[in-house]
């Protein structure tokens, strides 16, 4: 169970995930959140870079110490976190995002949030887990390589009459929402209690997608997720399970 959440804020850090890791190794308790105004070395998955320019976006990470968790349940925490961000954006701003499995929230085909879950083992067990969330809030422009596929809260609100996001308010709403979903998840260590709601918000459900794995790339229809939070796709009438986060799932017309 995740109960109390404690917030710390820094103007600038390398990566909020890395800050949490340092604290975790110093035996900090579960529930610490570290957020930053800016990251100088924000990380995406598999060595990619995450842009979090000065005071435009949220960079926030949470320390978890799930007891007796199985290793295979760890990637599902990313899936749970995606539900929390979607929920928070909807509650505060009415922004009706879709979840692009496993770790993005998208609005009209553009990425507003990315999630990076990391963990460390000790004595053959999960020692701690870090859930890192980046959300674009005030960003108006993005670097050229991502401009076509990135958006922010303010850019989306501008389409529907204006308004601005608020980073602190949104950060707290995200983690409150995460607490709600995580405590449902942790009872069974899977998506049994969350799957239906998740699938209602899954981008590309029922549509053709391209699965891009390292050795292989093919088209499939996205069907939903299983209780482990893995993506179910169908290829020529046969179901396949997409397990690893190291594949990309793309709509066949562009990024989403
Ligand atoms: C992610 O990776 O989307 C995970 C991002 C996690 C960021 C948070 S911020 C707090 C915590 N501390 C960290 O150091 N990280 C976490 P991935 O699915 O691999 O996507 C990375 C790709 O997204 C990049 O290669 C770019 O194409 C694109 N990208 C980078 N910055 C972006 C941004 N601000 N908005 C939209 N897309 C971006």
């Amino acid at each position: 169970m995740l109960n109390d959440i404690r917030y710390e804020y820094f103007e600038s850090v390398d990566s909020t995930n890395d800050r949490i890791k340092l604290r975790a190794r110093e035996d900090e308790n579960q529930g610490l959140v570290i957020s930053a105004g800016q990251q100088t070395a924000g990380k995406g998955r598999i060595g990619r870079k995450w842009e979090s320019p000065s005071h435009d976006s949220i960079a926030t990470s949470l320390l978890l110490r799930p007891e007796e968790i199985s290793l295979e349940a760890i990637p599902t925490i990313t899936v749970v976190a995606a539900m929390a961000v979607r929920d928070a954006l909807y509650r505060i701003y009415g922004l009706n995002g879709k979840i692009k499995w496993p770790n993005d929230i998208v609005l009209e085909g553009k990425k507003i949030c990315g999630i990076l879950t990391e963990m460390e083992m000790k004595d053959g067990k999960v020692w701690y887990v870090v859930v890192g969330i980046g959300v674009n809030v005030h960003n108006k422009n993005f670097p050229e390589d991502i401009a076509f596929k990135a958006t922010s809260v303010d850019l989306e609100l501008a389409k529907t009459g204006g308004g601005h996001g608020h980073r602190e308010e949104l950060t707290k709403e995200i983690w409150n929402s995460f607490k709600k979903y995580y405590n449902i998840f942790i009872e069974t260590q899977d998506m049994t209690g969350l799957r239906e709601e998740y699938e209602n918000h899954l981008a590309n459900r029922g549509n053709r997608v391209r699965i891009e794995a390292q050795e292989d790339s093919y088209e499939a229809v996205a069907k939903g997720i299983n209780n482990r939070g893995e993506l179910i796709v169908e290829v020529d009438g046969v179901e396949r399970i997409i397990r690893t986060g190291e594949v990309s799932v793309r709509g066949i017309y562009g990024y989403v």
Side-chain angles (χ1 to χ4, degrees), residues 185-229:
F185 155 80
I186 206 70
E187 278 196 18
T188 54
Q189 294 197 9
D190 70 13
M191 294 297 284
T192 306
L194 297 172
R195 183 175 167 184
E196 195 181 328
E197 180 178 339
Y198 183 93
E199 288 186 332
N200 287 337
H201 302 303
L202 177 61
N204 282 321
R205 191 170 182 210
N207 297 338
R208 291 195 79 75
V209 293
R210 173 162 287 280
I211 309 294
E212 291 171 359
Q214 260 161 354
E215 64 294 349
D216 200 8
S217 166
Y218 55 91
E219 275 185 26
V221 175
K223 306 293 279 188
I225 57 163
N226 64 16
N227 279 343
R228 286 152 68 147

Side-chain angles (χ1 to χ4, degrees), residues 100 104 106 109-111 148-149 249-251 253-256:
K100 180 171 176 284
D104 294 350
V106 294
K110 292 186 169 183
K111 179 162 170 172
F148 72 100
K149 61 172 180 179
V249 183
R250 307 223 181 283
Y253 306 108
Y255 161 68
V256 171

Side-chain angles (χ1 to χ4, degrees), residues 14 25 46 76 84 92 121 137 151 164-165 189 231 239 251 255:
D14 44 4
R25 291 176 192 139
I46 42 174
T76 317
I92 306 187
M121 312 270 298
V137 180
T151 190
H164 294 282
Q189 294 197 9
L231 190 68
E239 279 191 359
Y255 161 68

Side-chain angles (χ1 to χ4, degrees), residues 13-18 34 39 41-53 57-61 100 102-104 110-118 130-136 139 142-143 145-146 148-151 245 255:
V13 301
D14 44 4
S15 151
T16 53
N17 269 28
D18 289 348
I34 291 183
Q39 293 185 120
K43 298 183 295 184
R45 294 176 303 158
I46 42 174
R48 297 193 194 113
K49 204 172 142 201
W50 180 257
E51 303 286 342
S52 27
S57 56
I58 288 175
T60 185
S61 301
K100 180 171 176 284
N103 70 318
D104 294 350
K110 292 186 169 183
K111 179 162 170 172
I112 195 166
C113 161
I115 299 164
L116 175 67
T117 301
E118 300 183 274
V130 187
V131 184
I133 296 178
V135 187
N136 302 320
N139 316 52
F142 291 92
D145 55 327
I146 60 169
F148 72 100
K149 61 172 180 179
T151 190
Y255 161 68

